[in-house]
Amino acid sequence: MPQEVEVVVVGGGPAGLTAALAMAAAGVETALVAAKPRPDNRTTALHRASIAALTTLGAWARCRDAAAALRTMRIIDDTSRLIRAPEVTFHAADIGHDAFGFNVENRRLVAALEARAADCPAFTRIEDTAAVVDLGESGATVSLAGGGEVQARLAVAADGRNSVLRKATGIEIDRRSYPQTALALNFRHTRPHENISTEFHTESGPFTLVPLPGLRSGLVCVVDPDTAATLSRLDDAALAREIERRSHSILGKVTVEPERGVFPLERATARAFAAQRVALVGETAHVMPPIGAQGLNLGLRDAAMISELVVAAHRAGADVGSEDLLRRYDEARRADIASRTLAVDLLNLSLLTDFLPVQGLRGFGLYMLGQVAPLRRALMREGIAPSAGTPRLMRGEAL
Ligand SMILES: Cc1cc2nc3c(=O)[nH]c(=O)nc-3n(C[C@H](O)[C@H](O)[C@H](O)COP(=O)(O)OP(=O)(O)OC[C@H]3O[C@@H](n4cnc5c(N)ncnc54)[C@H](O)[C@@H]3O)c2cc1C
């Protein structure tokens, strides 16, 4: 007999888990189809609105001790080009906040979401993967790789970049790959980071140091694929020396922690964010380079928005996977996803280009940001929360 629920979420990354938790916590019968979490050594800089959502859902308290406040962000032009931008520093205090957000280890965030979801009577976890998805008029049926089926009015596709569910809907995706790879790891250092996140802009991409609690930081080093391969093969001592060199020793002596993640950079955007009883969230809907800490913050807004619509429909006794609901979800997410994707793309391409006028424009833009305080404040506000269409959870309101 197939298992019947109101909503099935496929994919147990942070976006899928947040959607499943938000719906189950509000009493919507929700099944999460997810394999055991893969080791993920990345950290995520979560903006204030994401923290508000996680707090409202009761998950933040379970990982707060693994997170460091981000109070200052600094951009340093580390290129050797003719036109170099001046250093720009953004202080959260300038827009009346104690911090822009918090940087947390992904594995701790996922563990916190899982533990909180397990407390909800309406939540069921199915430790398996989706093999085939059948989309009908009145619902979706997910066939599990280990046998058995789950039927639901709505399927939330959170199964990542190569989503099985997205393929089943026929939604196309626009992809672009970059000649860049991100090496991600965490490290210890001898000088305090003082809750400052530093982004060195280099000709191959950003080299970003993001604080973790104590004398620890996360590193995202974007370089060309050959350099990434060379760096990732270095032994710990040689890699530590290289990080110290590239960071101009601002954090003192470096000791790298064991795991290293390698992520080829790409941009991918689905042409629609919902169709035929399926709503796409997180990297199933959009992938972008890890610049400006936008990817998962955007994914959490997807999760918050679909949950808001589903909970309202559930309380009204309506169909939680109706065409009208999916159309509203698609419309609600368009502007936010398009604007973030474009901004990250332009910033990345402006770093890679050898075209002098574009370098000049980028330098001028950063110069203006450094000089004109209202412009800097407007960018800071928009960077951490979109001005339009913020889901309720992001405003700290329970569903
Ligand atoms: C180096 C790096 C640094 C980053 N830093 C930041 C940052 O500071 N701030 C920020 O906002 N974003 C950041 N991002 C982006 C962020 O990491 C991603 O947006 C986020 O991890 C995506 O989460 P997700 O839940 O959408 O997808 P994933 O984490 O990829 O989860 C998808 C899940 O689906 C599962 N799955 C796949 N297929 C199936 C199936 N058939 N059945 C069941 N399950 C399936 C997978 O096993 C996986 O668990 C960074 C990205 C990189 C590469």
Side-chain angles (χ1 to χ4, degrees):
M1 282 289 285
Q3 189 170 339
E4 277 183 46
V5 285
E6 216 168 349
V7 179
V8 59
V9 178
V10 179
L17 267 164
T18 302
L21 166 59
M23 292 184 284
V28 179
E29 285 296 330
T30 305
L32 175 72
V33 176
K36 274 208 173 71
R38 287 168 305 180
D40 185 350
N41 75 328
R42 282 175 295 177
T43 69
T44 297
L46 292 169
H47 303 159
R48 293 172 58 83
S50 299
I51 304 289
L54 294 169
T55 304
T56 309
L57 291 172
W60 184 242
R62 297 172 190 246
C63 59
R64 166 70 186 86
D65 64 338
L70 302 171
R71 300 194 205 287
T72 300
M73 295 193 306
R74 180 163 58 173
I75 297 178
I76 298 174
D77 190 337
D78 202 19
T79 62
S80 50
R81 286 175 172 151
L82 193 61
I83 304 172
R84 290 179 58 215
E87 179 176 324
V88 189
T89 305
F90 302 93
H91 299 285
D94 290 350
I95 49 170
H97 295 313
D98 181 43
F100 291 112
F102 285 81
N103 189 41
V104 65
E105 291 182 65
N106 284 15
R107 62 182 138 216
R108 290 292 306 269
L109 173 63
V110 164
L113 286 163
E114 284 193 333
R116 172 67 189 101
D119 283 348
C120 301
F123 176 81
T124 311
R125 187 192 163 109
I126 301 171
E127 203 160 291
D128 209 331
T129 54
V132 180
V133 187
D134 186 32
L135 304 174
E137 277 283 297
S138 58
T141 305
V142 175
S143 305
L144 306 169
E149 287 178 353
V150 188
Q151 277 180 357
R153 309 287 280 173
L154 172 73
V156 173
D159 48 341
R161 300 176 182 212
N162 302 309
S163 168
V164 170
L165 268 74
R166 191 187 60 227
K167 280 178 200 140
T169 62
I171 294 175
E172 300 215 19
I173 189 141
D174 293 315
R175 272 185 203 277
R176 170 186 195 149
S177 56
Y178 300 93
Q180 294 165 296
T181 295
L183 173 69
L185 56 86
N186 301 324
F187 63 98
R188 296 183 177 277
H189 40 83
T190 52
R191 282 196 202 143
H193 48 56
E194 291 168 347
N195 298 89
I196 301 171
S197 158
T198 306
E199 203 164 286
F200 290 97
H201 284 184
T202 77
E203 281 94 345
S204 59
F207 176 90
T208 310
L209 310 167
V210 198
L212 283 169
L215 289 171
R216 289 179 74 216
S217 289
L219 166 71
V220 179
C221 170
V222 178
V223 284
D224 65 79
D226 289 344
T227 309
T230 307
L231 290 176
S232 65
R233 280 196 299 264
L234 292 178
D235 64 38
D236 287 357
L239 183 56
R241 279 196 299 278
E242 188 57 23
I243 292 170
E244 214 176 307
R245 186 184 72 76
R246 287 176 185 250
S247 61
H248 303 276
S249 300
I250 59 169
L251 294 175
K253 192 169 159 35
V254 166
T255 311
V256 296
E257 294 182 2
E259 292 151 49
R260 301 166 189 189
V262 173
F263 303 87
L265 258 53
E266 67 166 328
R267 182 198 69 190
T269 314
R271 291 205 184 147
F273 304 118
Q276 296 181 65
R277 301 261 158 201
V278 178
L280 315 185
V281 301
E283 288 205 337
T284 308
H286 46 75
V287 180
M288 60 188 64
I291 298 173
Q294 295 295 328
L296 183 57
N297 285 286
L298 201 54
L300 295 183
R301 295 204 283 278
D302 303 336
M305 182 52 80
I306 191 64
S307 307
E308 186 174 321
L309 296 171
V310 164
V311 170
H314 166 82
R315 293 209 175 117
D319 179 357
V320 298
S322 71
E323 224 177 292
D324 175 58
L325 185 146
L326 292 176
R327 184 188 44 74
R328 283 191 287 142
Y329 172 69
D330 180 68
E331 280 172 12
R333 296 306 300 137
R334 275 192 179 273
D336 191 16
I337 294 172
S339 62
R340 306 284 140 171
T341 307
L342 181 68
V344 169
D345 210 24
L346 287 178
L347 189 60
N348 190 32
L349 291 175
S350 77
L351 280 175
L352 289 178
T353 185
D354 285 328
F355 190 48
L356 207 57
V358 177
Q359 289 177 19
L361 210 59
R362 186 177 146 271
F364 179 68
L366 286 172
Y367 170 77
M368 290 298 283
L369 280 176
Q371 297 297 309
V372 185
L375 193 64
R376 203 166 58 243
R377 286 199 290 271
L379 186 83
M380 284 192 269
R381 286 200 186 94
E382 189 59 29
I384 58 170
S387 41
T390 316
R392 282 178 51 191
L393 277 172
M394 266 52 209
R395 290 183 255 132
E397 294 169 23
L399 296 183

